[in-house]
Amino acid sequence: MNKRSRNLRCLLVWSQLVLFSLTGIQAQTFFMGNFKSVKQSGSDVTIKSENAVVRLRYYSPTIIRISANKQLAEGDFSYAVIGKPQAGSFRMQESGEKLTLSTDSLSIEITKNPIRIQVKNHENKQLSEEYAPFGTGWQGEEISCYRKLFNGEKFIGLGEKTGNLDRRDSKYEMWNSDVPAYASNADPLYVSIPFFMGIHDSLVYGIFLDNSSRTKFDFAASTDNLFSRFSVAEGELNYYFFGASTVAGILGDYTWLTGRSWLPPIWSLGFQQSRWGYYPDKEILDIAKSFRMKKIPCDMIYLDIDYMDAYKIFTWNPKGFSNPGALITELNGLGFHVATIVDPGIKVEPGYFAYDEGVKNDYFVKYPDGQRYIGSVWPGRCHFPDFTKDVVRQWWGNSFKRLSDPGVEGFWNDMNEPSAWGQNIPDIVQFSFEGKGSSMKQAHNVYGLNMSKATYEGTKKLLNGRRPFILTRAAYAGIQRYSAVWTGDNVASDEHMLLSARMVNSMGLSGLAFVGPDMGGFMESPTKELFVRWMSLGVYTPFFRNHAAKGTNRKEPWALGEDVESSSVKLISQRYRLLPYIYSAFYASTQTGLPVARSLAINYTYDKKIYWWKYQEEYLFGDNILVAPVSCTQNHAKVYLPEGGWYRLSSGDFYQGQQEVMVDAPLEDLPVFVKASGMIPMQSVVQSTSEKPSDTLDLHIYYGQASSSYLYYEDDGLTYDYEKGSFCRRLIRFDPSSKSLTIGKSEGVYTSKFTKIRVILHSFPSLKGFIVHGQEMPIKRSGNTIQSKVLEFRSEEISIRIE
Ligand code: GLC
């Protein structure tokens, strides 16, 4: 900077300071101040203080909404929340010093001078409270809620974040960001889910800060353990407090509020093959044929940006993909479903239909002076649709006809943070926000959510009753209603593989069931060992896709050598055997909000060891399988098995829980365990879900002394007929004390694709036989397992005595 411009800059800064102090808009710090008045009306209690207003709204006995600002806005708006306040209200008591608002589960005590809020459970135990010296405070537009730190308090959640399972001593920011080859401690990344849970004194609570502006969370990173804090950059401090007594209960409430997961098509739960750079159509076909020739099961193949004409969205490259309909018909014939990438940026090019329609109908975001915003992405200079406008979402959704007509059924939403080269779209860019008017400051974090919503709703219509598969990179709370999420441009390293397990688990702790990384790493090339290990982890990851960046070594399952290919066949086959179990787990998440990959913090919340750095990646995959991720350089590993008994899936070896055990971990055999008394339904291996498995469902039961139950679910996996009752749901109960196994009557009108069932008992003590409906059946022993004869899988209750 030369002397003249330095002087000019000083002058500018100085004049701004003068202006700020004259107008009084410098960042003053102030807090709520003392109580002035309270008013109760329906589900709301509104308290005015010297400096601000706080409103508490009753949603249910365990869900309270707290909103604070200098003034509260009229009306109510959220892209994340779909739950409405249930009938009911607070019971309010007022004394000279405090107000007490009670529900059947919680008691909220608000001291008056100054205003401070604390929440107790029905046993009068403190769940959470504001940090007494500050409470809620303002600095300019930013509002922070300072919270008391309890002794040993842990924090979990916040969705797609790097770092430890316990987020104590760390800070995070929500601002969806495109960070290629992100570092293993980078923050923020692509997704914003401002929801976390606090754990202390054998108690748990949850907080969802529903404000889409830049929000921050500081779990005592640098406060000498004085307080934790969360803040919003602008708008209201608007958070929901969850007081259910377990992590699962809080997840149930959180997903009641923001929506439960969509039920994906079953083919998206198989193996998926992708690579940036597949070109032209013939290469895609060759890859698909190789899968079939080599007998490697696979259900999906992806077309990355190269299928488009000059990267223009909703077009096909006339040279490389001249007949997409014929290509996809052939792929479908091979049992593949096709997904294509779409980015939000619409190339500025008169004559290109999406550009012309967008300009004509005013679909693109603009600067306040009316100029359309331009940012550069793959196609060059682009405009960006305003997905906060219903008509734009409709237009976007309908435009997929150009992809769905030739047969595309998977829609991969990328670059939707939104990302533009330079990674700095100006805050001043304007958005409709459903007619309310807003800027990039509020719209940025919900851009990916609204693009995914438009994609889901549009393609659902276009597919005429068949389920589309939606994948997105950017998201906000509530995304589970529309889309799967992958963890962006990771790196081929052990560190990233383990990080991906933590990220997937953390997203599960934030209501997302269908999540996973680019298996094998997107950037850089994995070693054979890393690829096999990551593949073995992928089997037990909800979203199982092999994807890679252009320029990296090929990593189709056969590309790294015959040994890797044969390992891949074994591992992917295991995924397909597990499909009945996996699909039931996905169904469960649509009902309960429990994710498919469940951090051990869900079931074993107060077991300190599960938070240790060496065990923090472990998780339950569905109800009964425990997965312990291990780096590829180790062939032994110490794992921690929580309470109960556990069987190694590959060997049947038994381990008592609540102990650390050293186990073998050869590359293909990731330490994976089954819970004692746990059940796992499995099918025969198929090359894709279009192929029918054998008629027999194998129900594996691992011996345990506790009784257990398991909900089996099946439907056609393809359509929405399940919404009209076309499903088969059976509650299976195992009771070792009465030696009984009952496969409940089938609910729903769908006829299972399995006509037979075989019960396979693992490690049961001496056993004479199976008595099915009073009739003795022959059994077959092999090592530690005992198999029943194949039984009819009829829809009435099946009652079995294990004598
Ligand atoms: C982005 C995506 C990546 C994709 C690439 C090219 O980097 O994250 O998955 O392959 O763009 O479209």
Side-chain angles (χ1 to χ4, degrees):
M1 207 186 286
N2 63 29
K3 204 169 159 204
R4 191 161 167 258
S5 55
R6 213 168 29 235
N7 287 343
L8 265 174
R9 227 176 117 174
C10 283
L11 191 69
L12 192 75
V13 171
W14 185 80
S15 59
Q16 276 172 348
L17 282 175
V18 170
L19 185 75
F20 279 179
S21 53
L22 286 177
T23 50
I25 50 171
Q26 78 269 46
Q28 279 180 347
T29 301
F30 65 88
F31 302 98
M32 289 286 297
N34 288 345
F35 175 86
K36 275 172 73 186
S37 68
V38 62
K39 195 172 140 220
Q40 181 162 27
S41 153
S43 51
D44 290 0
V45 168
T46 308
I47 300 163
K48 289 203 168 132
S49 72
E50 286 168 330
N51 300 324
V53 190
V54 59
R55 184 188 60 218
L56 296 99
R57 179 167 291 168
Y58 176 99
Y59 268 66
S60 82
T62 50
I63 309 175
I64 311 296
R65 177 175 170 190
I66 300 172
S67 312
N69 205 350
K70 286 176 244 175
Q71 272 163 357
L72 291 178
E74 289 296 316
D76 214 9
F77 186 71
S78 165
Y79 280 114
V81 168
I82 55 169
K84 298 264 176 295
Q86 295 179 339
S89 56
F90 296 111
R91 294 181 290 277
M92 185 164 86
Q93 282 180 325
E94 188 176 0
S95 71
E97 293 104 50
K98 67 176 185 187
L99 285 164
T100 307
L101 312 182
S102 326
T103 73
D104 289 348
S105 305
L106 301 173
S107 149
I108 300 127
E109 290 184 5
I110 303 153
T111 56
K112 286 185 168 173
N113 297 318
I115 302 258
R116 297 288 180 265
I117 304 175
Q118 61 168 285
V119 188
K120 293 179 171 175
N121 70 6
H122 60 284
E123 289 171 335
N124 209 30
K125 292 193 173 142
Q126 270 182 342
L127 290 177
S128 175
E129 67 174 277
E130 290 183 320
Y131 173 61
F134 305 154
T136 293
W138 280 253
Q139 273 188 298
E141 283 302 298
E142 185 178 34
I143 316 176
S144 296
C145 188
Y146 299 85
R147 306 199 67 88
K148 171 178 166 170
L149 264 180
F150 289 80
N151 208 355
E153 187 166 14
K154 296 182 166 53
F155 299 92
I156 57 174
L158 291 190
E160 187 198 66
K161 291 289 178 196
T162 57
N164 292 322
L165 166 61
D166 176 8
R167 306 204 173 281
R168 176 83 182 242
D169 301 332
S170 310
K171 65 162 177 59
Y172 297 92
E173 200 169 315
M174 299 291 169
W175 190 251
N176 293 354
S177 304
D178 176 7
V179 194
Y182 51 87
S184 59
N185 61 354
D187 185 71
L189 292 179
Y190 311 88
V191 172
S192 293
I193 306 192
F195 168 64
F196 70 91
M197 286 172 261
I199 299 162
H200 63 88
D201 303 299
S202 296
L203 298 165
V204 60
Y205 66 88
I207 285 180
F208 168 42
L209 178 60
D210 186 20
N211 179 318
S212 60
S213 73
R214 205 181 273 267
T215 53
K216 290 182 186 164
F217 295 81
D218 182 339
F219 299 116
S222 333
T223 61
D224 195 24
N225 289 325
L226 211 51
F227 53 79
S228 70
R229 177 176 81 97
F230 53 83
S231 66
V232 301
E234 59 165 40
E236 287 171 9
L237 182 88
N238 172 41
Y239 66 97
Y240 293 80
F241 186 91
F242 298 93
S245 58
T246 59
V247 171
I250 292 172
L251 277 175
D253 275 353
Y254 170 75
T255 53
W256 169 82
L257 189 75
T258 59
R260 299 260 153 82
S261 287
W262 59 301
L263 188 61
I266 193 155
W267 41 266
S268 61
L269 307 185
F271 184 65
Q272 313 184 357
Q273 181 61 40
S274 180
R275 179 180 177 81
W276 171 18
Y278 282 158
Y279 182 89
D281 44 8
K282 188 175 167 313
E283 181 171 16
I284 298 275
L285 263 179
D286 287 347
I287 302 274
K289 285 180 186 159
S290 297
F291 270 96
R292 295 298 172 250
M293 207 177 64
K294 294 169 178 293
K295 294 230 164 308
I296 307 174
C298 186
D299 261 87
M300 281 186 73
I301 195 148
Y302 282 68
L303 307 186
D304 205 324
I305 45 177
D306 304 292
Y307 79 90
M308 291 182 261
D309 176 17
Y311 304 141
K312 286 183 283 187
I313 311 305
F314 307 124
T315 67
W316 292 92
N317 183 319
K319 258 172 96 198
F321 291 82
S322 57
N323 191 346
L327 169 71
I328 298 175
T329 308
E330 196 167 347
L331 289 168
N332 290 162
L334 291 165
F336 283 87
H337 294 264
V338 174
T340 47
I341 200 167
V342 283
D343 297 344
I346 301 286
K347 188 175 175 63
V348 175
E349 184 184 276
Y352 159 42
F353 84 94
Y355 169 83
D356 290 345
E357 288 177 19
V359 167
K360 180 164 152 244
N361 300 307
D362 195 19
Y363 290 157
F364 300 134
V365 292
K366 295 187 279 198
Y367 288 105
D369 66 354
Q371 280 183 74
R372 279 183 289 279
Y373 166 72
I374 294 180
S376 289
V377 212
W378 300 118
R381 297 168 73 244
C382 286
H383 290 323
F384 288 77
D386 182 354
F387 291 111
T388 66
K389 245 185 191 172
D390 191 47
V391 11
V392 177
R393 289 194 296 267
Q394 303 278 349
W395 167 73
W396 178 263
N398 293 335
S399 304
F400 281 98
K401 198 165 161 24
R402 289 179 153 82
L403 302 179
S404 65
D405 272 356
V408 176
E409 296 163 283
F411 305 93
W412 169 21
N413 295 238
D414 190 23
M415 308 296 281
N416 52 355
E417 291 68 33
S419 171
W421 305 153
Q423 314 292 357
N424 194 22
I425 300 183
D427 283 350
I428 201 173
V429 172
Q430 302 292 293
F431 281 79
S432 156
F433 242 64
E434 314 307 320
K436 282 173 263 303
S438 193
S439 72
M440 191 54 103
K441 280 185 161 184
Q442 286 286 343
H444 178 90
N445 283 343
V446 290
Y447 195 83
L449 173 75
N450 283 310
M451 177 181 174
S452 306
K453 176 182 158 87
T455 305
Y456 175 72
E457 289 171 351
T459 58
K460 185 178 172 187
K461 274 190 216 138
L462 289 168
L463 292 192
N464 264 326
R466 279 176 298 125
R467 290 177 227 172
F469 163 74
I470 316 296
L471 177 64
T472 182
R473 192 170 74 176
Y476 184 70
I479 190 67
Q480 66 272 15
R481 307 197 292 267
Y482 313 113
S483 182
V485 180
W486 98 103
T487 58
D489 297 347
N490 64 354
V491 179
S493 70
D494 263 321
E495 194 186 7
H496 262 269
M497 177 178 64
L498 297 178
L499 169 65
S500 79
R502 292 201 299 284
M503 287 166 79
V504 164
N505 294 345
S506 178
M507 287 155 102
L509 284 169
S510 312
L512 272 58
F514 205 178
V515 283
D518 284 342
M519 196 282 305
F522 176 72
M523 308 288 251
E524 302 179 13
S525 304
T527 59
K528 285 180 171 207
E529 291 76 18
L530 177 63
F531 184 81
V532 173
R533 180 65 105 210
W534 208 327
M535 190 71 121
S536 72
L537 182 59
V539 173
Y540 304 98
T541 301
F543 174 72
F544 188 16
R545 180 180 75 155
N546 182 7
H547 182 52
K550 215 173 197 165
T552 58
N553 294 347
R554 300 297 294 224
K555 66 182 178 82
E556 292 76 23
W558 53 85
L560 284 91
E562 277 176 22
D563 45 349
V564 174
E565 181 180 333
S566 85
S567 301
S568 301
V569 173
K570 282 189 220 148
L571 292 165
I572 301 176
S573 298
Q574 170 72 347
R575 171 77 173 199
Y576 278 79
R577 269 189 219 102
L578 281 169
L579 275 182
Y581 175 80
I582 295 174
Y583 195 60
S584 299
F586 270 88
Y587 169 74
S589 74
T590 68
Q591 304 299 298
T592 62
L594 275 181
V596 173
R598 303 177 191 164
S599 157
L600 295 187
I602 298 180
N603 289 40
Y604 310 97
T605 316
Y606 307 112
D607 182 337
K608 292 201 176 86
K609 284 204 177 145
I610 65 146
Y611 301 95
W612 286 13
W613 66 267
K614 49 186 170 173
Y615 305 128
Q616 60 174 344
E617 278 106 17
E618 293 182 19
Y619 61 98
L620 291 186
F621 186 61
D623 291 343
N624 297 319
I625 293 179
L626 184 147
V627 181
V630 174
S631 73
C632 73
T633 50
Q634 285 171 270
N635 53 16
H636 283 83
K638 211 170 200 189
V639 302
Y640 177 66
L641 297 170
E643 175 183 39
W646 299 92
Y647 295 87
R648 179 88 185 243
L649 182 61
S650 56
S651 64
D653 292 349
F654 179 77
Y655 299 89
Q656 196 52 51
Q658 265 186 327
Q659 58 163 338
E660 297 164 67
V661 291
M662 187 58 118
V663 294
D664 287 346
L667 274 183
E668 273 177 23
D669 186 10
L670 192 71
V672 172
F673 301 83
V674 185
K675 202 190 262 179
S677 296
M679 295 178 233
I680 304 180
M682 289 173 106
Q683 67 174 35
S684 63
V685 177
V686 285
Q687 294 306 300
S688 80
T689 56
S690 327
E691 193 184 302
K692 225 178 149 214
S694 84
D695 59 3
T696 306
L697 181 71
D698 283 335
L699 178 65
H700 293 263
I701 309 183
Y702 287 77
Y703 183 73
Q705 281 156 6
S707 59
S708 63
S709 64
Y710 176 77
L711 193 63
Y712 173 78
Y713 179 84
E714 190 189 337
D715 60 24
D716 66 16
L718 302 171
T719 72
Y720 289 90
D721 291 354
Y722 68 90
E723 287 176 349
K724 292 175 249 138
S726 186
F727 56 82
C728 158
R729 185 172 57 201
R730 313 187 72 149
L731 185 66
I732 310 180
R733 280 169 295 142
F734 165 59
D735 182 2
S737 60
S738 65
K739 300 182 171 167
S740 69
L741 173 70
T742 316
I743 303 174
K745 186 174 176 329
S746 170
E747 292 172 77
V749 299
Y750 183 74
T751 311
S752 170
K753 58 179 168 288
F754 303 105
T755 53
K756 309 256 166 39
I757 185 165
R758 181 170 34 215
V759 178
I760 302 169
L761 304 179
H762 294 257
S763 297
F764 272 59
S766 65
L767 195 110
K768 282 189 236 123
F770 281 79
I771 302 167
V772 183
H773 293 290
Q775 258 201 315
E776 203 158 319
M777 292 277 161
I779 53 172
K780 205 165 102 193
R781 281 174 202 277
S782 140
N784 261 350
T785 62
I786 298 170
Q787 271 186 24
S788 74
K789 197 179 139 251
V790 170
L791 311 169
E792 292 295 310
F793 193 43
R794 50 184 186 194
S795 57
E796 296 88 60
E797 180 177 287
I798 307 173
S799 143
I800 303 174
R801 270 180 70 75
I802 306 164
E803 281 289 339

